[in-house]
């Protein structure tokens, strides 16, 4: 059912939250736009400016790796300045109240952890862009180290241990999904009684499969997004309004 106005949507959501014992949020780029980080598919979003670099291209080409890192450093001021939004803070409040056993996110910006949710309880399906890893041995690198190297050599660095390329710790198109995270996301989706899909166009698979998985396992499904999604027809409640406005009533002290 689509909420006809914001107020009735918030009221219905409040009732569902009160009745639920295990809420699993599933978040996309839309929950972070209020912090200044653009999403992918809105007008002016990242997608319209730069087509993503697929994983095989990154592995095969030094030029592609240089370009990937140039783009990442161009975004650094935005990521560094970003603070958790009202949406993040509302979810952190519900987490602290014991309502949320874990949260699934497609986001790579670390803002759920910054809002106070324990890192172990944030299931990152697409990784994290606030640090880097070697794609061969997995050695972790700080972005400051990568930037220093890049500034000196003008080239994307390789691992000091195994000489394979270093990449932000994100999952690119064409890269395998992280197994442990996928397993945990399946468990959370099957065990919750309320699933909240927030700020996702629900077109990136396999991540977009989790709302329906939860619904089929018996959970109520709520979609909060300012544009229609293909999964709205399956939702018990659709709030097609701004996320900050819809979730600010749930921000605790
Ligand atoms: P998407 O860009 O495809 O969809 C975002 C949706 O949120 C859009 O439908 C948009 O209309 C909606 N939206 C934006 N701001 C909103 C607001 N304030 N209120 C209500 N709705 C709002 O994003 P996606 O579904 O997450 O998929 C894109 C992929 O891009 C993900 O895999 C993610 O890893 C990556 N990404 C992440 C970030 C981030 O970490 N912040 C940013 C851009 C892209």
């Amino acid at each position: 059912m689509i909420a006809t106005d914001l107020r009735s949507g918030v009221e219905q959501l409040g009732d569902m939250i009160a009745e639920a014992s295990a809420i699993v949020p599933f978040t996309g780029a839309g929950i972070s736009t209020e912090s200044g980080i653009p999403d992918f598919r809105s007008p002016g979003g990242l997608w319209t400016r730069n087509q993503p670099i697929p994983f095989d291209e990154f592995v095969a080409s030094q030029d592609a790796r240089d370009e990937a890192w140039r783009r990442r450093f161009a975004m650094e001021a935005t990521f560094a300045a970003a603070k958790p939004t009202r949406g993040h803070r509302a979810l952190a409040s519900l987490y602290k109240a014991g309502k949320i056993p874990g949260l699934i996110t497609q986001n790579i910006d670390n803002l759920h952890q910054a809002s106070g949710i324990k890192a172990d309880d944030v299931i990152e399906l697409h990784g994290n862009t606030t640090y880097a890893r070697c794609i061969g041995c997995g050695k972790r690198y700080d972005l400051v180290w990568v930037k220093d190297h890049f500034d000196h050599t003008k080239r994307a660095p390789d691992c000091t241990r195994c000489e394979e390329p270093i990449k932000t710790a994100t999952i690119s198109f064409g890269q395998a999904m992280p197994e442990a995270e996928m397993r945990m996301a399946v468990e959370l989706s099957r065990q919750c009684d309320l699933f909240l899909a927030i700020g996702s166009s629900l077109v990136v698979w396999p991540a977009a499969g989790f709302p329906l998985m939860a619904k089929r396992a018996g959970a109520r499904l709520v979609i909060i997004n300012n544009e229609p999604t293909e999964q709205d027809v399956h939702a018990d409640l659709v709030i097609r309004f701004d996320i900050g406005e819809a979730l600010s009533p749930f921000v605790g002290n």
Side-chain angles (χ1 to χ4, degrees):
M1 194 227 286
I2 302 182
T4 47
D5 58 86
L6 178 64
R7 202 169 134 194
S8 76
V10 170
E11 269 172 27
Q12 291 175 72
L13 177 60
D15 290 345
M16 288 184 180
I17 288 174
E19 288 162 17
S21 52
I23 303 171
V24 170
F26 168 89
T27 60
I31 197 171
S32 295
T33 51
E34 194 174 280
S35 76
I37 301 173
D39 63 10
F40 248 163
R41 290 178 182 76
S42 290
L46 295 173
W47 192 276
T48 55
R49 281 184 263 155
N50 283 318
Q51 286 293 312
I53 297 169
F55 185 62
D56 56 356
E57 208 178 308
F58 183 93
V59 174
S61 152
Q62 177 74 46
D63 285 347
R65 293 197 287 280
D66 295 346
E67 173 61 14
W69 277 110
R70 253 192 305 275
R71 288 183 192 178
R72 176 62 188 83
F73 296 137
M75 287 292 295
E76 180 52 17
T78 304
F79 278 115
K83 297 272 182 306
T85 64
R86 290 176 291 175
H88 291 104
R89 284 160 45 218
L91 298 180
S93 299
L94 294 171
Y95 170 78
K96 282 176 197 145
K99 287 278 209 179
I100 293 179
L103 173 152
I104 307 167
T105 190
Q106 303 173 83
N107 292 348
I108 55 175
D109 53 28
N110 210 51
L111 289 179
H112 287 298
Q113 293 91 326
S115 75
I117 300 184
K118 267 197 346 212
D120 285 351
D121 293 328
V122 179
I123 312 306
E124 294 177 317
L125 296 177
H126 296 159
N128 191 308
T129 195
T130 64
Y131 60 94
R133 281 198 191 280
C134 164
I135 62 170
C137 70
K139 183 173 177 195
R140 184 176 166 138
Y141 290 87
D142 284 343
L143 294 195
V144 176
W145 182 91
V146 179
K147 178 86 167 62
D148 271 358
H149 185 287
F150 193 86
D151 286 347
H152 279 101
T153 62
K154 305 289 171 225
R155 312 270 20 203
D158 293 330
C159 182
T160 54
R161 187 157 71 191
C162 73
E163 297 183 358
E164 291 291 318
I166 295 169
K167 180 177 170 296
T168 54
T170 51
I171 306 295
S172 300
F173 285 101
Q175 192 171 1
M177 293 295 283
E179 277 175 33
E181 281 79 358
M182 286 298 282
R183 215 173 29 245
M184 288 188 278
V186 168
E187 266 172 41
L188 284 170
S189 303
R190 290 201 176 136
Q191 287 166 9
C192 65
D193 54 5
L194 179 60
F195 190 96
L196 307 177
I198 303 169
S200 175
S201 55
L202 300 177
V203 296
V204 179
W205 290 80
F210 290 111
L212 283 183
M213 186 182 291
K215 178 73 189 156
R216 286 200 192 104
R220 281 169 156 175
L221 173 61
V222 176
I223 295 179
I224 309 176
N225 202 61
N226 62 11
E227 300 185 316
T229 79
E230 277 180 12
Q231 300 189 22
D232 290 356
V233 288
H234 303 290
D236 297 275
L237 174 64
V238 175
I239 302 182
R240 203 171 285 162
F241 294 99
D242 179 72
I243 294 162
E245 295 297 309
L247 291 183
S248 59
F250 305 100
V251 177
N253 299 316

